[in-house]
Amino acid sequence: AVAAHCRALRELDVDSCSALSDASLLAVIRGCARLRDVHISDVPKVTARVVTALARSCPQLRTPRLSAATVNVGDAALIALARGCTQLTRLSLAGCASISDRAVVALADACPQLSDLDLSGCARLTAVAAARLCACDELRDVDLDGCDAIGAASRAQLAARIAHAHG
């Protein structure tokens, strides 16, 4: 019902809406193709279906925050997001522990305007992801706190290349 009356909606923040279901969020996303900013953090019922719907329905998306709530979201959904939303500038995936280097490489390859990336708590990431991020021309801020599989040498390379590499 909301989506039918808000087709021009550009921002959606449902952070900490613990009762929100996939079905409700999918209806809004599919009806609001102009979304640019979406915050879906600490929403435990959110699954990969929502991220895939963002990829298919919201090509103008610039700044999704998918932190912590999207623990069920893996590489396939994030690869779809990268391919469907190539204008991403900021992305928070903090606490999305199931993603791997494949998703980060896809984001780096498909989203040349990406300038701010929060990967804190993404413990499966390795030097492969760090090396690919070094080649992102627009990337200015990256958070790798809790990405313990990324060694000191890779972190040093990233810090030398990116203005605010921390973690």
Side-chain angles (χ1 to χ4, degrees):
V2 171
H5 302 288
C6 299
R7 296 207 179 277
L9 188 68
R10 292 186 186 263
E11 295 181 30
L12 177 66
D13 186 337
V14 294
D15 284 354
S16 302
C17 293
S18 58
L20 194 63
S21 70
D22 255 8
S24 300
L25 201 48
L26 287 169
V28 172
I29 290 168
R30 289 179 180 143
C32 300
R34 294 182 183 175
L35 282 172
R36 294 177 65 132
D37 303 308
V38 176
H39 298 190
I40 308 170
S41 296
D42 299 317
V43 185
K45 296 177 184 175
V46 167
T47 67
R49 292 177 53 206
V50 168
V51 177
T52 302
L54 284 169
R56 288 186 185 137
S57 303
C58 304
Q60 297 176 22
L61 194 64
R62 302 277 195 289
T63 58
R65 184 172 64 208
L66 306 170
S67 308
T70 53
V71 291
N72 295 324
V73 175
D75 289 347
L78 290 174
I79 290 167
L81 185 71
R83 291 178 181 159
C85 302
T86 60
Q87 298 176 37
L88 295 179
T89 58
R90 293 184 186 140
L91 177 61
S92 177
L93 298 169
C96 295
S98 64
I99 67 167
S100 75
D101 294 335
R102 282 180 2 118
V104 173
V105 168
L107 286 163
D109 288 346
C111 303
Q113 299 172 39
L114 195 61
S115 63
D116 186 340
L117 184 59
D118 185 352
L119 297 170
S120 58
C122 298
R124 294 182 57 206
L125 300 182
T126 70
V128 172
R132 184 58 191 94
L133 291 175
C134 283
C136 293
D137 292 335
E138 297 299 318
L139 194 59
R140 300 290 178 256
D141 192 344
V142 63
D143 188 343
L144 298 173
D145 190 40
C147 299
D148 298 333
I150 298 176
S154 295
R155 287 174 187 269
Q157 280 182 320
L158 199 55
R161 168 67 184 84
I162 300 201
H164 301 285
H166 42 94

